[in-house]
Amino acid sequence: MKYGLTFAALVAATAATADPLTIYAPDYFASEWGPGPAIKAAFEAECDCEIEYVTGDLLPRILLEGERTKADVAIGFNSDVTKKARETGLFAPHGLDLSPLTLPLEWTDDTFLPFNWSYTAFIYDNTKIKNPPASFHELVNSDEDWSIAIQDPRTSISGLALVLWGKEVFGDDAEAAWAKLAPKVTTVTKGWSEAYGLFTDGEVDMVLSYTTSPAYHIIAEEDNTKSAALFDEGHYFMVELAAKLKGTDQPELADEFMAFILSPTFQNIIPTANWSYPAALPRDQWPEAFSELNYPEKAIFLNEDEADALRDEAIAEWRTAFSQ
Amino acid sequence: MAHRVFAIRLWPGLIAAALVAALSLGTLGVVALRAESFSTLSKFDWMAVRFTVVQALISAGLSVVLAIPVARGLARRDFYGRRLLITLLGAPFILPTIVAILGLTAVFGKTGFVSIALNWAGLGPISIYGFHGVILAHVFFNLPLATRLLLQGWGAIPSERFRLAASLNFAPRDIFRHIEGPMLKEIVPGAFAVIFLICTTSFAVALTFGGGPKATTVELAIYEAFRYDFNLGKASLLALIQVVICAVAAFVSLKFRVPQVGGAGLDRPVQRFDVHMLSARGLDLFWIVMVSLFLLLPLLAIVLRGAHGLFDLPSSVWSAALRSLVTALGSAALAIILSLSLSLSALRWRWLEGVGMTAIAASPLVMGTGLYIVLFAVADPADWALFITGLVNAVMSLPFILRAIGPALAATERNYGRLSDSLGLTGWTRVRLVLWPRLRGPVGFSAGLAAALSMGDLGVIALFARPDSATLPLQIYRLMGSYRMDQAMGAALLLLGLSLALFYIFDLWGRRRA
């Protein structure tokens, strides 16, 4: 009997360690400078289980693996690409009450759960630029010789957001607007890092990034020289999402983690670990620097179907204008 | 042809060729098989093909043409620090792209050294962004490789020929026509081809310095098809086009290659009697100084930019560095085994070397994806991340290595093969006494190159890695991705130092007189 108990305890112990909750995440998320490690520690303290992150290109990887994926939860989708993810049929409804969400717009998706968000914006050095553009139209039409670095919409999610943002603001005149902006754009980079590096090195005056970027400089570097230029037309709303896999072999634990995403514990980690806005935390509970950041009045958002329908046309217009 | 020594040893080359073909073309096949449909290519895709070919032709042409006077200067001069300079000049070729981008902008950018100097001179700043920027960046990357390959060609000219030339009162022009020219005819086509191939698979560099979507390469189109549309059919179709471009380039270059005829020497040290003229000195000095400035200033910028970040690197960066080192050494060993097998067998079957060259045509992204599909069917791909990184990099560095080892091996066989046969030298004895002393230099250089390239590669690991098994380049990207630019530049400096040290050690070993 005693042996039986010991054996049972052993089996239970090995089961707990042998089968962790496998979470697929983008590389930045699980790295030690991302929010992943703190979230892992906080969740493991509550659940008596183990989280294992698997990093890489999130969506391509899940599409490659299909039904046989080991993922229990996938975190880090962008709303502009969830259509493709949803069509795979690999994801299960989260079944959660969405009332804790504090997004600037209504969110009713029953599968993809927001965990953080931000607005795309042009970040500039406020010691060099005293009269930043107050609207997208002003940026495009201005005679100032600003130099800007942006990301390519074909290789970068923030680059895609810019193109969709422009399409929403300028509509049928988008191509003409890009053609006017093109001379001010010093270069287009493959990813966010290259462009932001050019900005911090002083190679360009402005960079396409997020309204939350200055918070990093304020909090981590005590540097107040970086600001986001706020536009009257509104800013493109970028949200990151998590979803539970239908084929998970740990449905309860996956559900538990999905619920944990909306908890204050998780949400409080987001601002200073991810440098973005938390999805389920009232503004008065954000870190001070975040509350002080200038905050857009209006969100521009395309749901996944709209984004998908517009994408090819918007990229082609951008590309034609920028290839002149 | 009584080269009995290799008559029985074709199987290592065949195995190596099969492995390379499986990785370059096999992975492409695997990705194509997974595709659901094959869409046709748009006008944008054809624009990308055109841009890719045109910029690669110009970049490769310029790299090789500029390398000729530089390599000649380095070959016929002896000055203090020459060896170190030769090693340093190899550095740009092994830089990770993101580091090179920041290094180049620090020199040629709007706020770079050159623009500052021009401002002093009362001239406006230059712009690096545009078609010329793509060429500039590619020459920066590939001029070092071209220089090294040509330098080896110069190093292989027997000293007796220069003595003969001196006794015949040859002017420098005659020496060029009768001695250096024929050597260049053998080496240049291969060097041109390999650099052309490298430039065709460029992507992030071409985009950044091209300034916009005009500078779209086929590799970028592959990335887009894969990442956004998950259109494997289109990705493999584009990858196939890339292979065709590369195959044509390789074929043409081999057609143009003129093997040298001429006697062998007795391995005496080279003495040049024609280099003391003032004009020749001035010319060499000019080229060496110009190229050193062009290649070393960006490196200096990286050192300056990374110096203060170097002392505040988290421990994970150091463990990633160790992981990268081990992978790099394994990759170098594998690359040497593969390339020696291929080169030896290629003495009999020329086409085997062509198979080795196909590796560069393969898109790293397609290769990684294909391997992922295959591995996922049998194992957890993440467990194999470092092994795959080493393997892919070994295969990816084969084209450069074959350019370094192949000609040396062929020349040795041509010059000493019959003598060795008549002396009954076969098997290992022949390798030890005849081949190895002449191969040691290229092998050392190649091992250093393969190790350094593997150090700096990010390509495949991005699809496979676990959070805790990152390589150094991946850590640099992670640091940048989380705003930590100073630490990232510190880590980049560490990477630069380690890659150079690896390269230098191997290279030095190769150049020690056996």
Side-chain angles (χ1 to χ4, degrees):
Chain A
M1 184 68 210
K2 197 171 74 175
Y3 288 113
L5 269 179
T6 326
F7 180 71
L10 267 177
V11 168
T14 46
T17 51
D19 204 4
L21 181 72
T22 306
I23 300 180
Y24 279 22
D27 195 63
Y28 86 87
F29 181 91
S31 96
E32 67 186 284
W33 304 287
I39 287 164
K40 174 178 154 88
F43 186 65
E44 286 174 355
E46 284 182 22
C47 75
D48 185 36
C49 64
E50 195 192 341
I51 282 183
E52 183 189 28
Y53 290 122
V54 174
T55 51
D57 282 345
L58 192 60
L59 186 57
R61 191 163 181 157
I62 285 179
L63 290 168
L64 280 178
E65 296 183 355
E67 305 257 322
R68 296 184 44 230
T69 182
K70 287 197 193 62
D72 299 310
V73 172
I75 191 164
F77 293 107
N78 181 287
S79 60
D80 295 328
V81 297
T82 39
K83 183 176 166 67
K84 205 163 211 69
R86 198 185 306 273
E87 283 166 356
T88 63
L90 293 170
F91 298 96
H94 52 65
L96 292 164
D97 167 25
L98 295 175
S99 59
L101 289 176
T102 54
L103 301 175
L105 43 84
E106 189 69 23
W107 191 269
T108 54
D109 193 322
D110 67 352
T111 304
F112 291 92
L113 181 70
F115 69 96
N116 82 90
W117 62 282
S118 191
Y119 288 116
T120 48
F122 289 92
I123 305 295
Y124 65 98
D125 181 332
N126 56 33
T127 57
K128 289 185 194 158
I129 295 182
K130 293 296 176 201
N131 55 338
S135 70
F136 214 143
H137 282 85
E138 194 188 326
L139 174 77
V140 165
N141 296 319
S142 166
D143 297 333
E144 297 274 354
D145 60 347
W146 293 314
S147 59
I148 309 169
I150 62 173
Q151 296 95 60
D152 195 307
R154 296 165 300 162
T155 55
S156 150
I157 201 79
S158 46
L160 178 60
L162 171 72
V163 169
L164 294 173
W165 184 18
K167 186 71 191 161
E168 278 297 285
V169 169
F170 297 101
D172 293 344
D173 304 328
E175 194 173 321
W178 294 131
K180 276 191 225 159
L181 184 68
K184 299 189 187 72
V185 174
T186 303
T187 191
V188 179
T189 62
K190 174 190 161 199
W192 176 91
S193 297
E194 291 93 340
Y196 211 82
L198 290 175
F199 170 66
T200 52
D201 280 356
E203 183 66 18
V204 290
D205 303 324
M206 286 187 208
V207 63
L208 174 73
S209 186
Y210 307 100
T211 48
T212 40
S213 297
Y216 172 80
H217 299 285
I218 295 167
I219 295 171
E221 299 178 337
E222 294 175 355
D223 168 8
N224 289 307
T225 62
K226 314 280 192 289
S227 307
L230 287 202
F231 290 175
D232 298 340
E233 300 95 339
H235 288 252
Y236 197 81
F237 169 83
M238 284 186 76
V239 61
E240 282 195 299
L241 310 150
K244 169 186 154 182
L245 274 289
K246 216 176 246 167
T248 174
D249 50 5
Q250 307 211 61
E252 294 85 9
L253 207 49
D255 283 334
E256 216 176 303
F257 183 80
M258 292 298 285
F260 176 70
I261 288 176
L262 295 178
S263 73
T265 317
F266 181 108
Q267 291 294 321
N268 272 303
I269 292 171
I270 289 294
T272 55
N274 209 45
W275 307 106
S276 57
Y277 303 120
L281 200 66
R283 248 179 97 180
D284 56 359
Q285 293 176 39
W286 294 358
E288 209 174 310
F290 274 81
S291 320
E292 287 170 11
L293 292 178
N294 45 10
Y295 188 83
E297 294 291 313
K298 186 177 160 208
I300 292 178
F301 176 64
L302 292 171
N303 67 35
E304 62 189 45
D305 295 311
E306 293 165 331
D308 189 71
L310 267 181
R311 205 190 78 197
D312 289 349
E313 184 194 353
I315 291 181
E317 285 173 350
W318 171 88
R319 194 169 167 178
T320 309
F322 268 79
S323 297
Q324 297 313 322
Chain B
M1 292 295 276
H3 293 337
R4 275 165 310 166
V5 62
F6 306 117
I8 45 169
R9 295 202 201 282
L10 280 170
W11 58 266
L14 287 175
I15 292 174
L19 181 68
V20 173
L23 277 175
S24 56
L25 303 174
T27 48
L28 175 56
V30 169
V31 173
L33 282 176
R34 272 293 299 270
E36 276 143 26
S37 62
F38 288 89
S39 54
T40 48
L41 300 182
S42 70
K43 70 166 193 209
F44 280 138
D45 296 322
W46 290 111
M47 275 161 65
V49 171
R50 205 180 117 228
F51 172 80
T52 303
V53 173
V54 170
Q55 60 82 17
L57 278 173
I58 296 175
S59 303
L62 265 179
S63 298
V64 173
V65 167
L66 288 173
I68 292 172
V70 180
R72 185 168 69 167
L74 287 169
R76 64 190 188 181
R77 297 288 151 203
D78 195 12
F79 50 89
Y80 187 72
R82 173 174 170 271
R83 279 193 167 183
L84 184 66
L85 180 68
I86 289 175
T87 297
L88 280 178
L89 290 184
F93 187 66
I94 54 184
L95 284 179
T97 39
I98 193 155
V99 179
I101 286 173
L102 294 174
L104 277 173
T105 47
V107 177
F108 298 101
K110 211 179 52 169
T111 51
F113 301 160
V114 175
S115 291
I116 291 170
L118 285 172
N119 272 343
W120 278 346
L123 301 160
I126 49 160
S127 169
I128 187 182
Y129 306 97
F131 188 76
H132 61 285
V134 180
I135 305 295
L136 182 97
H138 282 165
V139 171
F140 171 77
F141 272 114
N142 296 305
L143 179 60
L145 178 69
T147 305
R148 282 305 299 261
L149 290 174
L150 296 185
L151 202 53
Q152 279 182 343
W154 251 284
I157 298 176
S159 65
E160 287 77 1
R161 284 191 212 172
F162 289 113
R163 290 170 174 236
L164 181 63
S167 67
L168 293 171
N169 253 334
F170 271 20
R173 198 182 48 226
D174 304 323
I175 286 187
F176 191 83
R177 209 172 73 198
H178 295 289
I179 299 176
E180 293 166 333
M183 180 277 293
L184 289 174
K185 273 185 191 150
E186 181 167 38
I187 304 257
V188 162
F192 177 87
V194 82
I195 292 171
F196 175 88
L197 301 187
I198 297 169
C199 295
T200 52
T201 52
S202 163
F203 156 19
V205 171
L207 183 66
T208 302
F209 292 116
K214 265 198 297 261
T216 295
T217 53
V218 179
E219 186 74 27
L220 189 147
I222 293 174
Y223 187 89
E224 180 190 13
F226 176 74
R227 268 291 291 276
Y228 272 107
D229 302 331
F230 198 69
N231 184 338
L232 293 181
K234 189 169 172 184
S236 42
L237 200 61
L238 286 162
L240 192 63
I241 287 178
Q242 193 155 286
V243 170
V244 170
I245 293 172
C246 292
V248 170
F251 180 76
V252 169
S253 81
L254 290 176
K255 267 267 171 284
F256 272 97
R257 206 162 94 189
V258 187
Q260 290 185 79
V261 285
L266 300 171
D267 297 345
R268 293 193 190 97
V270 172
Q271 279 177 291
R272 301 280 301 257
F273 306 93
D274 58 307
V275 296
H276 305 299
M277 291 154 61
L278 212 55
S279 61
R281 275 186 168 171
L283 198 65
D284 290 347
L285 184 72
F286 168 80
W287 280 107
I288 292 173
V289 168
M290 286 310 282
V291 165
S292 301
L293 282 176
F294 172 53
L295 296 179
L296 300 182
L297 275 178
L299 296 185
L300 180 70
I302 292 165
V303 173
L304 294 175
R305 181 78 178 73
H308 65 289
L310 191 60
F311 299 103
D312 119 73
L313 290 177
S315 61
S316 61
V317 169
W318 293 100
S319 51
L322 187 65
R323 225 172 278 125
S324 283
L325 269 176
V326 173
T327 311
L329 290 173
S331 185
L334 188 61
I336 295 299
I337 292 168
L338 287 174
S339 54
L340 282 176
S341 313
L342 276 171
S343 303
L344 282 171
S345 307
L347 290 174
R348 280 276 306 277
W349 292 347
R350 279 285 300 280
W351 56 269
L352 279 171
E353 198 173 311
V355 175
M357 298 287 281
T358 60
I360 190 76
S363 149
L365 193 74
V366 172
M367 211 192 261
T369 308
L371 280 167
Y372 192 90
I373 294 171
V374 172
L375 271 176
F376 184 75
V378 293
D380 181 355
D383 291 341
W384 294 82
L386 293 180
F387 173 77
I388 293 290
T389 304
L391 177 69
V392 168
N393 277 295
V395 170
M396 290 293 230
S397 58
L398 277 187
F400 323 125
I401 297 182
L402 289 172
R403 292 270 52 83
I405 291 180
L409 192 64
T412 309
E413 250 329 91
R414 214 164 41 225
N415 295 332
Y416 302 97
R418 292 200 200 101
L419 178 63
S420 309
D421 282 346
S422 68
L423 292 172
L425 275 176
T426 53
W428 278 114
T429 325
R430 177 151 164 180
V431 169
R432 197 166 49 87
L433 295 174
V434 183
L435 290 178
W436 185 244
R438 282 168 189 76
L439 282 184
R440 187 174 166 147
V443 166
F445 164 71
S446 302
L449 196 64
L453 280 174
S454 169
M455 264 316 276
D457 175 71
L458 178 79
V460 190
I461 191 106
L463 193 68
F464 284 75
R466 280 217 180 86
D468 52 4
S469 67
T471 54
L472 190 50
L474 190 57
Q475 290 292 52
I476 293 173
Y477 269 88
R478 285 176 176 177
L479 282 164
M480 289 191 87
S482 56
Y483 293 96
R484 290 165 176 76
M485 298 291 165
D486 288 346
Q487 281 186 331
M489 292 316 281
L493 178 56
L494 175 67
L495 177 60
L496 176 64
L498 287 174
S499 301
L500 267 183
L502 268 182
F503 183 61
Y504 187 68
I505 291 165
F506 278 114
D507 203 22
L508 199 68
W509 170 86
R511 285 187 300 183
R512 268 212 346 247
R513 274 278 165 201

